[in-house]
């Protein structure tokens, strides 16, 4: 019988080994994964500065026809001034110009779920009580019917 062994010392090579094995499996079974390896994936990076300080920004990447909206942040002092809405619209437009027809993002219940719903995003999945007392949402939006 094969024994399960706990790795008790931090081993940076171990997670990398697992990542390589998972990528190899994905490449074998998914032409989409295989075809994206080694390709420079287009990114969308937008920022708003005031007095030389970044007060808002957006970051995401475009692949497989999707805009993976990874980060959208507005400094609390500048909330409720439309910066988030403007960044979201500009990010979606840039992603669409790069070939995206849909967007995916994640947010916590204490972050921006209601904000995204105002702009047509729908909940695709939810993890309840993650972290305890909050929920974690995956949301999507269709940018076009193309």
């Amino acid at each position: 019988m094969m024994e399960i062994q706990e790795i008790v010392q931090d081993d940076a090579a171990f997670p990398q080994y697992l990542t390589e094995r998972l990528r190899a499996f994905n490449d074998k079974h998914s032409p989409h994964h295989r075809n994206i390896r080694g390709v420079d994936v287009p990114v969308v990076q937008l920022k708003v500065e005031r007095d030389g300080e970044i007060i808002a920004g957006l970051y995401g990447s475009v692949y497989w026809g999707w805009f993976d909206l990874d980060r959208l942040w507005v400094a609390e002092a500048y909330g409720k001034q439309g910066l988030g809405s403007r960044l979201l619209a500009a990010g979606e437009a840039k992603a669409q110009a790069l070939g995206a027809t849909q967007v995916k993002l994640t947010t916590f219940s204490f972050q921006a779920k209601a904000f995204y719903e105002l702009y047509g995003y729908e909940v695709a999945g939810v993890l309840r009580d993650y972290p305890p007392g909050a929920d974690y949402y995956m949301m999507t939006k269709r940018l076009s019917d193309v």
Side-chain angles (χ1 to χ4, degrees):
M1 181 170 173
M2 292 178 257
E3 183 179 329
I4 295 174
Q5 300 174 31
E6 180 180 3
I7 301 171
V8 293
Q9 293 183 337
D10 188 24
D11 181 357
F14 182 67
Q16 183 61 36
Y17 174 81
L18 295 178
T19 296
E20 290 169 4
R21 300 289 62 82
L22 287 168
R23 284 183 178 163
F25 179 88
N26 291 348
D27 290 352
K28 181 178 178 182
H29 297 279
S30 167
H32 300 290
H33 283 83
R34 186 171 48 251
N35 294 338
I36 203 168
R37 302 283 185 234
V39 173
D40 288 332
V41 173
V43 295
V44 177
Q45 301 180 92
L46 305 171
K47 67 179 177 177
V48 178
E49 290 186 9
R50 181 158 189 190
D51 300 324
E53 179 184 344
I54 297 173
I55 61 167
L58 175 146
Y59 175 84
S61 50
V62 177
Y63 55 94
W64 301 331
W66 285 81
F67 177 31
D68 185 354
L69 178 50
D70 191 47
R71 297 175 187 94
L72 173 58
W73 169 80
V74 176
E76 284 188 63
Y78 296 95
K80 308 293 185 198
Q81 295 181 24
L83 288 177
S85 301
R86 290 174 43 215
L87 277 169
L88 183 60
E92 289 175 353
K94 178 69 175 170
Q96 199 165 11
L98 292 169
T101 59
Q102 299 183 83
V103 185
K104 78 171 189 74
L105 59 85
T106 58
T107 190
F108 290 100
S109 54
F110 57 83
Q111 288 179 324
K113 177 181 176 277
F115 167 80
Y116 291 118
E117 287 174 328
L118 287 174
Y119 295 97
Y121 286 79
E122 297 178 348
V123 173
V126 60
L127 290 175
R128 300 280 180 213
D129 208 33
Y130 180 82
D135 297 326
Y136 182 69
Y137 296 93
M138 174 185 271
M139 302 181 80
T140 62
K141 176 181 176 180
R142 179 168 290 284
L143 293 175
S144 71
D145 293 325
V146 176

